[in-house]
Amino acid sequence: ITLTLLAVYGVIPSIIYFTQPAEIRNNPELLAKKIPSWLPSSHIKLGLDLQGGVLLVLGVNVSEALDNKLSRIGTETMRWAEDEGYIVKTAYVVKDKKLLRVEVDDSVDTGSFKVDMTKEFLGLSAVAESGTTIDFEYKAEQVKSIEKGALEQAERVVRNRIDKWGVAEPDITRRTDGNIIVQLPGFGDPKKAKELLGRTAQLKFKIVDDEFKGFDAVKDLPEGVQKEGSQFVSEDKEKLVTLLGSLIPEDRELLFEEEQLAGGKKVKYKSIVVMAAIELSGEDVLDAAVVSDSSGYSNRPAVSMKLTGTGGKRFADITGQNIHKRMAIILDDVVTSAPVIQTRIAGGSAQITLGSGSYNEILEEANNLTFILKSGALPATIQVLEERQVGASLGPELAKQGIYSIMVGVLLILMFMVVYYVRSGLIACLILLLNGVFLFAIMAGFGFALTLPGIAGFVLSLGVAVDANILINERIRQELNSGRSARFAVSEAFKKVLSTIVDSNLTSLIAAFVLLENNSSGPIRGFAVTLTIGILVSLFTSIYCNKILYNFALRNVTTDSGIRAWFASYLVDKRIKETHINFLSFSKISATIATLLAVAILASCFVRGLNWSVDFAGGSEIELTFEKAIEPDQLRKTAADLNLSNLTLQSLGQDDNKDFLLKFEAPKTQSDDEQAQQAFLNSTKDKLTDALSDYGVQIMKIDYVGPKIGSELRSQGLTSMLLTIAMIFLYILLRFDMRFAPGAVLKMTLDTVVAIGFFAFFWRSFDLTSIAAILTVIGYSINDTIVIYDRVRENFTLFPKKDSVSNINTAINETLSRTINTSLTSILSLVGVLIFASGQLWNFAATMVIGIISATLSSIFIGCPAIIWISKIRAYIESRKSKASSL
C-alpha cells in the first residue's frame, strides 16, 4: 500500500503536465507554477516525436582536435624555448600526420632539447630527427585522453550554447560512439539549430607571410581565376586549391578571404598564405561583445574580444615581435581580417571585423559569433550526421494515436481477463493497473521522455504482465484439478510457476539489454528502456503483489469447496479441461512447411532485397501533407526538376492524394560529403515548399541520415539480432540442457525470418523501429517456448519411465490454454495500435502480431519436436562413436 501511494504521488506531476496546453508544457517557468510545491518536480515529458521538434546527431572530428592540441603545444614551445635559452625557428603541425615538427637553430643540442621538451610537455615523445628538425607525437594513452577530452568539451560547449539559447527541456546525450544526440522538443527551426550548434567557432591568430615566393612560377591561370597583386582570386574555391595547394610547404598554410557578391548569392575567394603555427586561439578568449567598428567610417557591427591574462600577455608579445607584418584573424578556417600590426598591443583585447553585407546581416552574424564565443569554442569541427524533424502538427496527432492505442489495448485485456477468469481475473486487472502506475512512477522519477517507441514498449510490457497472470491462473486451476486440498493447491501453484515466470521474463530482458547496449539510436533505446522497466516491474507485481492480493481475497474463505468456487468460471468450466492431441505427429509436415516458408522469404530478400529506410541506407525522407489533392506524377516531376537521386514516392493517406513520403539521395557528386548533403537537403526543403505552395504544402517530418551513420546502424541491427539469439541460446543451455537449446535457436531463427518476411513481402519500410520489433519477436518467441520447455523438463523428472514423445505431448497439452490465452491477450494489447497508429508504429504492431502467431505455432510444431530430433541425432552420433571404438 505504501509503495502504491508513493507511486501515485510520483505520477501526479505527469498527469498535470499532460493536461496543460503546449505553450505551458514547453515553458518550464509556467509549468512550475502549475505543479504544487509539495509534489515532486520531475515528471514524464513528451518526446520529440510526440510534440514536434528537432533531433540532430553531431559527430566530432577527434583527429582534428588532436592536431589543434599539437598546434597549441607548438605555440607554447616558442615561448618555453625562449625562456630556456633554446633558439627555435618554427614549430608547426604536419597536417594529417598527427606530428609536431620543430626546427631549431644549429647551435641547439638536439639531444638535450628533446629531453627537456618531453619533460615540459608530458605525453610527447620524439619519433624522428633529421638534422635540426625534430618530430614529436603524443603517446597512445595521451591520444586517448585528448580524444576523450575533446568529446567531453564538445558536449559541454553544445550544452552551454543550448542553455544560453533558452530552449525548453532539451535532451543532450553523448553516445558510446562519441557522437552527440541533441533533441530540441517544440523547436521548429532546424536551420538555426545547425548554424549555432554546428558552428565550430575555432578562432586562430596567425602571421601572414606576405613575402611568400612559392606562387611566382604560376603563369597559366585556368578560366575563372585572376591574379590581384599577390593574391589569386576566383568564385570557384576548388580551382584555387587545385592550382595552389601543392605549392604550399608544410610550415605554411593556404587560406582564403571571402567577399560576398550579388547580395550573398555568390562568393569571391582570395588566397592568403599564413604561417602554420597558431599564435593565439579561441581558448585565450575570456569574453566577447558586439561593438561598432571604430577602424572605419561606417560604424558597422564588429566583435570585440577580451583575452585571458595569459592570452593578453601572449598577444602583446606576438604583436611586439611582428610589427609591420599582417596578422590573420581566422574563424573556422576563413580569414575574416588581416590587419597590419602597427605597434605592440598590450591591452588584452582584440577585435574581429566581419565581411560584407547589409547592416542587419552583419549585426546578426556579430550576435551569433558573440553568442558562440561566449559559450565556448568547439575543440574541432562538427558534422551533422543525422537530422530528424517532426512538425508541430504531426507530433500531437501521433501523441493522440499513442494514447488511444494504449487505452484500447488496456481495455481489451481487462475485459478478457474478467470475462475468462472472473474473480481471479479481477485480481489480474488490479495487478495490471498497479503495473502501469509503478511503471509511470519510475519513468516520472527519472524524468523520462515518452516517445512512440516508448508507447510500443509500454503496450508490450502489458503483454508480459498479462502472461505472468495467465501462468498463475492456469497453474492454480491445474493444481486444483490434481486432487490436492484447495489452499495447498494455490500455494503450490505459486511455487511451481515462479521459475517459469523468471525464466520467461529473463529471456525478454536479454533482448532488451542487447538493444540498450548495442544500439546508439534514440528510438531503439527509448523502446528498450521502457520495456526493461516494464519487465522488472512485472516481475515484482506478478510474483509478490499477486500473492498478497490472493491471500487477502481468500482470507475469509475457509472451506475447500469455497476456494474452488472462488476460482470457478463458466467459460473455464465448460471448456475441454484436458486435451490429448498428438502434436508431434505433425512434426514432419510442420518442418516441411517451415522450411519452404523460410526459403521463400530468404529468396525474396536475396532477389528483391528489403525496402531499407534512410535509417540504414542513408539519405533523406520528407513527409508532406497538402491542403489540396496533388497527383503523384506532379510530385515526381517536381522531384525530378530538383535533381533528386533514387527517388521513392509513397502515398501515406487513404487514396486522397494529400499525404506522401519522399525518400531520396543527394546527387552522386555530393554523396560522400556530409556537409554537402546537409546543404542539399536544406535547399531541397525550401524549393519543395516554393514549388508546391499552390497545393498548401506542409512539411510534417524530415529525416536525414548520413551514409556512414546508416551503415553503422545497419551493422548494429544485425549484430543485435545475432547477439540476442546467441545469448538466449547460452542462457537456455545453462538453465536447461543441450536437449533444449538447439530447438530454441531453431525456432527463434524461424520466427525472425517470418518477421522479416512481413517487410519483404509487403515492401514495408525497414527502419530502426523494425529492428526493435524483430528483437521483441525474438524475446516473445523464446518466452513462449520456455513455458512449454519448463513443463517438459518437469514431466521428464516426474515420469522418467514414460517415453519422451508422450512427456512432450503431455506438456504441450497441459500448457495449451496458457499458450492460446497469452498469444490472444498479447494480440489484443496491439489492436489499438493497429487501429489508430500509422507509419513506424503500425509496422511495429503488425510485425509483432505476425511474430506472435509464428512464435505460438513454432513453439508447438518446431521447438518441441526439435527435442526429439536432437535426441536422435545425439543417439546416432553416440552409436557411431561406439562402433568406431569397438573396431
Side-chain angles (χ1 to χ4, degrees), residues 70-238:
L70 283 171
S71 291
R72 181 74 175 176
I73 295 297
T75 303
E76 296 298 323
T77 296
M78 302 290 289
R79 185 191 312 164
W80 165 81
E82 184 179 348
D83 293 341
E84 294 295 318
Y86 291 114
I87 301 175
V88 173
K89 294 181 179 179
T90 184
Y92 58 91
V93 172
V94 181
K95 286 232 177 221
D96 301 322
K97 293 186 178 180
K98 300 177 182 179
L99 290 176
L100 174 63
R101 182 158 292 168
V102 180
E103 293 184 18
V104 298
D105 189 75
D106 293 338
S107 61
V108 174
D109 181 355
T110 56
S112 300
F113 180 83
K114 287 190 293 184
V115 172
D116 292 343
M117 178 83 169
T118 52
K119 284 182 180 179
E120 177 66 19
F121 301 104
L122 298 178
L124 278 183
S125 62
V127 293
E129 181 179 346
S130 176
T132 57
T133 301
I134 309 167
D135 287 343
F136 295 88
E137 71 176 10
Y138 276 118
K139 297 176 182 176
E141 59 270 20
Q142 189 70 12
V143 169
K144 291 181 181 179
S145 176
I146 292 171
E147 290 178 345
K148 180 182 178 183
L151 294 174
E152 291 174 349
Q153 183 185 347
E155 181 185 359
R156 184 166 56 252
V157 169
V158 168
R159 194 177 297 277
N160 287 341
R161 291 182 183 179
I162 292 175
D163 289 343
K164 291 180 183 293
W165 196 0
V167 178
E169 298 191 350
D171 185 11
I172 305 148
T173 54
R174 181 154 48 92
R175 303 193 311 201
T176 53
D177 60 4
N179 295 330
I180 301 169
I181 298 180
V182 178
Q183 296 189 63
L184 306 173
F187 189 77
D189 190 351
K191 185 176 180 181
K192 182 179 180 182
K194 286 182 287 186
E195 284 178 355
L196 294 181
L197 297 181
R199 182 79 173 270
T200 309
Q202 284 193 333
L203 186 63
K204 301 172 185 176
F205 293 77
K206 295 187 177 184
I207 300 300
V208 178
D209 186 1
D210 284 322
E211 299 179 1
F212 181 69
K213 304 299 181 182
F215 297 156
D216 291 350
V218 178
K219 301 298 182 184
D220 298 326
L221 301 181
E223 184 180 354
V225 177
Q226 296 87 36
K227 188 174 184 182
E228 297 179 1
S230 63
Q231 290 183 295
F232 292 83
V233 181
S234 175
E235 293 180 17
D236 190 336
K237 184 179 177 180
E238 292 303 318

Side-chain angles (χ1 to χ4, degrees), residues 449-490:
L450 186 63
T451 62
L452 274 176
I455 288 174
F458 177 81
V459 170
L460 199 62
S461 68
L462 286 180
V464 172
V466 170
D467 179 42
N469 283 275
I470 290 175
L471 276 169
I472 292 170
N473 277 291
E474 290 297 323
R475 192 73 199 212
I476 288 174
R477 295 185 184 282
Q478 288 180 13
E479 293 299 323
L480 288 173
N481 291 335
S482 66
R484 295 185 175 93
S485 70
R487 193 167 292 279
F488 178 79
V490 173

